[in-house]
Structures are given as C-alpha cells and as structure tokens.
Amino acid sequence: MQEAYLVLIIFPVMVVSATSTGLAISLPGCPDKCGNVSIPYPFGIGDECAAIRRSPYFNVTCNNTFQPPRPMVGDIKTSVEVINISLEHAVMRVYNDVSYTCFTSNTTISENHPAGFNLNSTPFIPSTTQNRFTVIGCNTLGLIGGYMHNNSDSDQYVAGCYSYCHGLNSTSDDAPCAGLGCCETAISPNLTDFAAVLPRQSSVWKFNPCFYAMLVEVEWYRFRRQDLDGNLRFIKERATRGVPVVGDWAIRDGSCPKDGAKAPKDYACVSSNSYCVNASNGPGYLCNCSQGYEGNPYIHQGCQDIDECKLRMLEAKYKELYPCENGVCRNKPGGYTCICRMGKISDATNSGCQPMLGQAEQVAIGLGTCVLLVMSLTCVIVMKLQRRKHMKEKDEYFKQNGGLRLYDEMRSRQVDTVLILSEKEIKKATNNFSEDRVLGCGGHGMVYRGTLDDNKEVAIKKSKVIDANCREEFVNEIIILSQINHRNIVRLLGCCLE
C-alpha cells in the first residue's frame, strides 16, 4: 500500500492547581480567579496583574462569553483554554486541539485539520512524564517531529508509533494503546516546536474514515471501537473542547543564584521563607516555599507558616501527614514539635511518644507499687490501733487514780483553782521534778513549785502511793488545799512508787 503524509502541528500546553484556601495567590488588588479556575501570580488577568515583563504568556484572558467564564492563554490566533494552574508542581493543564484527516475514498480527503503551536519564547514546554503522543486509527503510522529548544538542525527530533486493525471487531473497548486501534509513544524533553504526520491515503476508510493524532495527558484516553467509526465521531463525542495537555512552566529568563551569591534585582523568588530550584524541563528556575510554609513564593510575604497542629484537628489525613501520637502538638515557625506527657519519651522521629518502660517493666512496677501501698495502709492501721489503745490506757489510768472523783468534787464544790495538765506539761513546769523546785512534803507525796507557759506559778503535788484506800483522801486533800490557797494548784494524778 502506498502512503503519503500530511504534516500537522500539534500544540502542547500546560497545567494548573491553586494553593491552599485563605492564602493570597495573586498580586494585591488583582482577581485570583476566572470562573472556577484559580490564577496565581506570576500568571494574572490583565497586564497589571501578570508578570508580562518576563513573558506576555503569563497574561491570562478571562472569556466572559461562557458561564462560568473560561481563562485563556496565548495570542488571539493560538489561544487555548486553561483547565488549571499549579504553583507547587509548576504545571498548567489546557485543552489542546486534535489533528485529524478523514477520507471518502482511498485517496480522497474530506476533512483535514492541522493544529499547531510553537512554544519558543513562551514559559511552557510539554511535560515528558505527563503527556503521550497518541494516534487513533487502523493501519495508521503516526510520526511526531520537531525541535528541542533551539530550532537548529542539531536539535531535530522524530518519534512515532504504528496502529493496526483489519476491522472494528478486531479491537476491544478500553484496551491500552499498544498498537491495536491506537498507539502511543513518549516525547523528548525540551520539545518546543513539533508537528505530527498522518497518512494521506487509506485502505480502511469504509469502516474507519478518520485518523487522529494528539498530544494528550497520560491515561486520559481509553480506546473505544466507536472512535474509529463515523465521521469525526471522536471529536464530536469526546473532544469538543479539545483534549487535556500538561505543560511545564518556569521562569525562563534567568537561573538560580549560586550558593552565597546575591540574588539579582529581577529575582522571582521574592517571598521570605522561599528558595530557588532549577527547572527540570528546559532552561530557567522555579520558586518554592520553604519546609513548613505554604503559599505563593512569587509575591512578597506569600509564604506563610503552616499550623500543623491546627490542621491535625481538621482532617484525619493531616494526622498521618503530621504525626504526633500520644503527645501534645505545639506549632512553631516552619514546623511543629510533639511534646510527650509524663511517663513517655519521644520516639526520636518527632512523630509521637512511647512509654519510658516496656510492658513487663510497667507490670513489675505496678505490682511493686500495689505491695508498697498495702504495706503503707497496714502500718497506718496498726499505728491508729496502737494510738487508740494508748488513749484507752490513759483514760483507764486517769480513772484508776481518782480522776473522775476529782472532776465530781470540782463540779460539786465549784472549784476553779484546780487545773488538769498532761504529764508533759507538768514535767516542763517543774523542770522534770527538779529538786530545787521542792516546796515541801505532804501527807501523800511531795509538793513542787511549777511555772506555766503564761508565767503563772502553781503548786504541784506528786503522790507517793495511791491505792483504793488513799485515793479519796488524796482528792480531798487537793480540794482543801485549792480552797485555802489563793494560787492555782495542780495535782499530778498517777501511781508513782518511790
């Protein structure tokens, strides 16, 4: 079969995604959206809002004839619709035209649509990882040729693929584009100008009247039999606005300053807490916010601290992104810390806390603590019982030595000059019954001079022997002495044997 070829220029373009909500992404006073698409600087709607001195292709036109409005990029003749723009990944996604050729006989072309785009002098280069050159048709050889960056003969590039099928029933829906009904191939880096080649005659036009060639986002296209059938059926049903293409963008008019070198005046990374990286596809550089910051590094104060602790409370996915298991999260500029509670230590990754002791050690300490607690309670109970026994013995001792008899006599005779003191108070008052405090000897014991804390002087009588026969006489003697003495008299009750 003889074949002729039609040269078609397919224009690749670009990709998009906005920064986090609530952060400024555009210049002050500039709109940050066109319809549902965010427009981050250096892109902008209008010359005053875009970095047009770097490239006029940063200027985005908002087409208000559609609802919602659609953002467009490029000049009037070759503008394409923007799907989204990403600052983080420095890509733009757009709808791109599909090149096609249709036949009504082996050599008669009824439809022919070449589409092309030259990316020289633009910030865009087709992404090699996110795009594929794809051909749809039977017995179709598709070639892609172009230039890599400089449009010189040494930069020429050619690649292609062949698709074969002898009928619609020989193909399968949702099959990969491996050569049966469709085929695909990767593209070269730095490809700024390229064209596609399709057959100019067809032997399968009766069941496959149209061939298609396109640069398209990876995995967007899934083969269907009906794409081979009918006149421009694929365009009418699946590509009315075009097909998505991903383009890498960058600041192409410069490079990152060398380590320690002063940044040039037109340096694009103007936000504090930002840094520069060289572009991975083509010349130029990109700006990123530093670790722990987010926002737009191309505008002043565009990179703001991420509050990881606050995000952890909002959604479960952030707990995995910013782990702090069994700890207390504390935000800090550019990051966060995970503070461990008592009894726990950091796991050395700032992602959580772990017990200071192992399970076996915790069990041993728990058992030891329980034993110690039981022993302490036992000691407290024994001490209380001994104290109660001692108090009971003191009461019995007081009664045995005539204490109750003395109280009764004091109440019945209305005696107010007799004090009942503890043994400790009496020993203090008499300097432990010192001999120089002796006043004399009574019928039932020795009498001492005592001094109380308030400097009152008292007479203290210490009995020699108190038994059942002399107990009442001893009490009467104290009562009689207290009535005839104008001083306070304290009697020491007790059975004191000499």
Side-chain angles (χ1 to χ4, degrees):
M1 179 181 68
Q2 294 181 347
E3 295 179 341
Y5 297 95
L6 173 66
V7 176
L8 303 175
I9 300 178
I10 301 178
F11 60 125
V13 208
M14 321 135 210
V15 101
V16 183
S17 147
T19 58
S20 303
T21 57
L23 297 176
I25 62 172
S26 62
L27 293 179
C30 292
D32 59 4
K33 274 193 174 184
C34 175
N36 298 323
V37 179
S38 296
I39 311 296
Y41 191 80
F43 297 90
I45 302 173
D47 292 349
E48 300 298 325
C49 295
I52 60 170
R53 64 184 181 84
R54 298 186 182 276
S55 173
Y57 289 90
F58 283 124
N59 188 8
V60 176
T61 302
C62 197
N63 190 339
N64 294 309
T65 60
F66 299 97
Q67 288 301 322
R70 298 176 183 178
M72 312 293 291
V73 68
D75 55 38
I76 297 176
K77 294 182 179 180
T78 60
S79 62
V80 291
E81 180 183 346
V82 177
I83 301 173
N84 59 2
I85 304 171
S86 171
L87 280 176
E88 180 181 2
H89 302 291
V91 292
M92 175 184 281
R93 295 177 65 238
V94 300
Y95 285 116
N96 188 30
D97 265 357
V98 177
S99 296
Y100 56 84
T101 301
C102 298
F103 298 86
T104 55
S105 72
N106 284 7
T107 58
T108 303
I109 298 175
S110 60
E111 300 281 351
N112 181 33
H113 179 70
F117 194 82
N118 188 320
L119 296 177
N120 284 312
S121 303
T122 76
F124 311 110
I125 296 177
S127 171
T128 59
T129 59
Q130 300 186 60
N131 296 310
R132 291 291 182 270
F133 174 66
T134 303
V135 175
I136 305 171
C138 291
N139 302 347
T140 305
L141 174 63
L143 298 176
I144 180 173
Y147 296 94
M148 294 180 291
H149 185 55
N150 291 324
N151 283 353
S152 64
D153 292 341
S154 61
D155 284 336
Q156 287 183 345
Y157 167 81
V158 177
C161 65
Y162 184 79
S163 172
Y164 172 80
C165 52
H166 55 76
L168 295 180
N169 292 333
S170 66
T171 61
S172 302
D173 286 342
D174 207 36
C177 288
L180 192 61
C182 68
C183 65
E184 65 179 21
T185 185
I187 63 172
S188 171
N190 303 329
L191 190 61
T192 58
D193 186 7
F194 60 95
V197 180
L198 289 172
R200 294 201 61 184
Q201 69 176 29
S202 172
S203 62
V204 296
W205 65 273
K206 290 184 179 180
F207 68 88
N208 177 207
C210 297
F211 300 151
Y212 309 95
M214 57 188 176
L215 191 66
V216 65
E217 185 177 8
V218 173
E219 296 186 353
W220 178 85
Y221 179 71
R222 304 297 294 181
F223 178 76
R224 302 184 314 172
R225 288 179 180 176
Q226 56 263 44
D227 293 339
L228 302 176
D229 189 22
N231 186 51
L232 296 176
R233 188 169 183 177
F234 170 72
I235 298 293
K236 295 174 182 178
E237 294 183 358
R238 304 183 68 181
T240 55
R241 295 168 69 174
V243 294
V245 177
V246 179
D248 295 325
W249 62 266
I251 305 298
R252 303 291 181 185
D253 60 348
S255 60
C256 290
K258 295 182 179 180
D259 292 342
K262 184 178 180 181
K265 292 182 179 179
D266 60 348
Y267 186 50
C269 307
V270 297
S271 177
S272 55
N273 302 307
S274 68
Y275 64 96
C276 176
V277 293
N278 291 317
S280 60
N281 189 7
Y285 65 96
L286 302 167
C287 303
N288 290 331
C289 287
S290 302
Q291 180 71 28
Y293 293 84
E294 65 178 350
N296 190 337
Y298 299 94
I299 61 178
H300 291 283
Q301 305 303 320
C303 294
Q304 298 294 318
D305 176 53
I306 299 173
D307 190 337
E308 295 86 355
C309 300
K310 184 177 181 181
L311 292 176
R312 280 175 48 82
M313 295 186 295
L314 295 179
E315 293 186 45
K317 67 178 183 181
Y318 291 112
K319 290 186 177 180
E320 298 181 2
L321 186 60
Y322 308 118
C324 184
E325 296 299 325
N326 303 314
V328 179
C329 183
R330 290 286 184 270
N331 186 59
K332 66 178 183 179
Y336 72 102
T337 56
C338 189
I339 301 174
C340 297
R341 297 181 175 88
M342 185 178 296
K344 296 183 182 295
I345 58 174
S346 174
D347 59 4
T349 65
N350 195 40
S351 62
C353 302
Q354 60 187 8
M356 297 179 65
L357 304 174
Q359 186 174 2
E361 294 170 316
Q362 293 183 55
V363 171
I365 291 176
L367 291 175
T369 302
C370 291
V371 171
L372 182 61
L373 180 61
V374 170
M375 293 177 63
S376 299
L377 291 175
T378 301
C379 291
V380 171
I381 293 173
V382 171
M383 290 174 63
K384 286 187 175 182
L385 291 176
Q386 289 180 343
R387 184 174 182 181
R388 183 177 298 176
K389 179 180 178 182
H390 180 66
M391 293 298 295
K392 185 176 181 181
E393 289 176 348
K394 288 180 66 176
D395 290 342
E396 292 295 331
Y397 189 68
F398 184 75
K399 295 176 183 178
Q400 176 184 342
N401 288 279
L404 293 180
R405 172 64 179 164
L406 178 60
Y407 273 128
D408 291 339
E409 291 295 332
M410 289 170 61
R411 284 197 299 269
S412 63
R413 302 186 186 185
Q414 297 183 349
V415 177
D416 58 0
T417 57
V418 177
L419 300 177
I420 305 298
L421 301 178
S422 67
E423 181 181 4
K424 181 178 179 181
E425 292 174 320
I426 293 174
K427 286 184 176 181
K428 181 180 179 181
T430 61
N431 195 16
N432 198 20
F433 301 106
S434 176
E435 292 184 359
D436 59 0
R437 295 293 186 99
V438 176
L439 296 177
C441 184
H444 295 282
M446 193 71 69
V447 179
Y448 294 87
R449 174 176 57 82
T451 304
L452 302 181
D453 289 340
D454 57 0
N455 293 323
K456 289 183 178 180
E457 291 189 352
V458 294
I460 298 174
K461 185 170 184 177
K462 179 180 180 182
S463 65
K464 294 179 179 179
V465 177
I466 293 183
D467 55 22
N469 296 326
C470 67
R471 182 184 302 124
E472 187 169 346
E473 295 179 5
F474 180 73
V475 170
N476 289 333
E477 183 177 329
I478 292 175
I479 295 299
I480 294 171
L481 289 174
S482 66
Q483 289 177 337
I484 63 176
N485 197 329
H486 295 292
R487 296 179 178 180
N488 293 319
I489 300 175
V490 177
R491 299 294 185 257
L492 175 64
L493 302 180
C495 184
C496 301
L497 299 178
E498 294 183 355

